[in-house]
Amino acid sequence: KAGVTQTPRYLIKTRGQQVTLSCSPISGHRSVSWYQQTPGQGLQFLFEYFSETQRNKGNFPGRFSGRQFSNSRSEMNVSTLELGDSALYLCASSLGTIVGGAHEQYFGPGTRLTVT
Amino acid sequence: AQTVTQSQPEMSVQEAETVTLSCTYDTSESDYYLFWYKQPPSRQMILVIRQEAYKQQNATENRFSVNFQKAAKSFSLKISDSQLGDAAMYFCAYRSPYLQGGSEKLVFGKGTKLTVNP
C-alpha cells in the first residue's frame, strides 16, 4: 500500500506570494492533518480534515487555509507569504473514524518551503 | 491546554547500549493517548510506540519500551541494544480523546536528537 505523499517536496517562494501544498493520504484514510515544523517552534498543528470537513484548527492566522476533496486528498494554502512561514510542512493521514479509539497516524515526507 | 515537555534537546548513546529519553506532560484529563515518534534525517516521521492512559501496563515494541507514570505525568522511552539506525529526532506526543468531532490533533514536545556512536 502506498504511503502518504506530499507534493512538491521543495519549494522556494518570495515574500508576498502565495503557495499551495498537496497531500495524498493512504488509500482508505479519511482524515488528514497538517503540521508546521520549525527549529524554533517545533511541530505545531495547523488543521485537520475529515470527510471534506475541517474538524479542528490550530492557532494560525487566516492566511493559512486548507481543504479536502472527495477522494480525501488535501491541500493547504498560504497567502501573502512571510519569511517566518519558512518551514517543513507535514501532513498525516489516518482512518479517522469518529467513534473512539486512536488510529495510527501516518506522516508524509513533508514539503520544505523556503520564503525569501 | 495540554503541553508536552522534552527536557533533553540532545542525547547520545554507544551502539548496543541502552538510553532513556524523557517526556513530561501537563493535562487535566484522566484519559488520553501518548506516543513516541521517530524522525530520521530523511524526515519521514514514524510511530515508535503508543500508550493508552487507562492501561497500567507499560507498552513495549521489540527494543523499545516506555515507563509510564500517570501520577507523575511522565512518559519516558527506553531504547535497548541501540543501533546506528536508531539515530533520529524523537518526539513525544499527546492526544486527547475528548476533542470535538473526534479530532486526532497531536500535541508534540520539542524533540530529542539521539546520536548513536559506533
Side-chain angles (χ1 to χ4, degrees):
Chain A
K1 190 183 261 190
V4 179
T5 58
Q6 292 188 245
T7 56
R9 292 293 309 279
Y10 302 91
L11 205 50
I12 300 175
K13 289 287 189 179
T14 304
R15 266 184 307 175
Q17 289 185 316
Q18 75 165 18
V19 66
T20 299
L21 312 181
S22 180
C23 173
S24 292
I26 291 172
S27 177
H29 285 192
R30 296 164 65 191
S31 172
V32 173
S33 299
W34 289 89
Y35 293 85
Q36 181 195 65
Q37 185 176 17
T38 60
Q41 299 299 316
L43 282 148
Q44 294 186 287
F45 173 78
L46 279 158
F47 27 64
E48 176 188 359
Y49 289 87
F50 177 72
S51 293
E52 301 180 66
T53 301
Q54 186 181 85
R55 67 177 177 182
N56 203 349
K57 187 178 189 304
N59 189 26
F60 278 81
R63 301 184 297 106
F64 291 81
S65 63
R67 59 178 175 169
Q68 187 180 35
F69 302 95
S70 58
N71 61 358
S72 294
R73 189 177 70 86
S74 177
E75 289 182 346
M76 67 163 281
N77 183 276
V78 188
S79 62
T80 319
L81 284 165
E82 300 178 359
L83 294 178
D85 297 333
S86 294
L88 181 68
Y89 290 88
L90 296 171
C91 83
S93 80
S94 80
L95 289 169
T97 52
I98 295 175
V99 179
H103 294 294
E104 180 174 349
Q105 295 193 44
Y106 295 84
F107 283 81
T111 294
R112 169 71 64 186
L113 172 65
T114 302
V115 182
T116 62
Chain B
Q2 292 81 23
T3 59
V4 177
T5 302
Q6 292 178 250
S7 59
Q8 307 152 315
E10 295 189 29
M11 293 278 286
S12 64
V13 63
Q14 291 296 125
E15 199 175 0
E17 296 196 342
T18 296
V19 64
T20 299
L21 309 184
S22 301
C23 171
T24 58
Y25 56 93
D26 186 30
T27 184
S28 59
E29 297 175 332
S30 59
D31 193 20
Y32 44 87
Y33 303 95
L34 295 167
F35 306 87
W36 278 98
Y37 281 89
K38 170 186 177 182
Q39 188 179 41
S42 66
R43 298 291 185 178
Q44 193 110 20
M45 188 105 68
I46 56 173
L47 178 65
V48 174
I49 199 166
R50 59 182 277 172
Q51 175 81 41
E52 288 83 359
Y54 64 86
K55 290 185 178 179
Q56 293 187 340
Q57 188 173 5
N58 289 325
T60 62
E61 286 288 342
N62 301 312
R63 298 182 295 107
F64 298 86
S65 62
V66 299
N67 183 5
F68 173 50
Q69 301 289 328
K70 191 172 184 180
K73 297 180 182 176
S74 170
F75 182 60
S76 61
L77 174 70
K78 186 172 83 170
I79 306 174
S80 303
D81 186 24
S82 296
Q83 301 175 0
L84 295 177
D86 294 333
M89 282 291 290
Y90 285 82
F91 293 94
C92 179
Y94 174 102
R95 189 205 150 191
S96 167
Y98 302 114
L99 296 179
Q100 187 174 2
S103 171
E104 300 179 314
K105 172 189 173 182
L106 294 171
V107 177
F108 286 92
K110 290 289 181 71
T112 297
K113 182 180 180 181
L114 178 66
T115 301
V116 181
N117 300 309

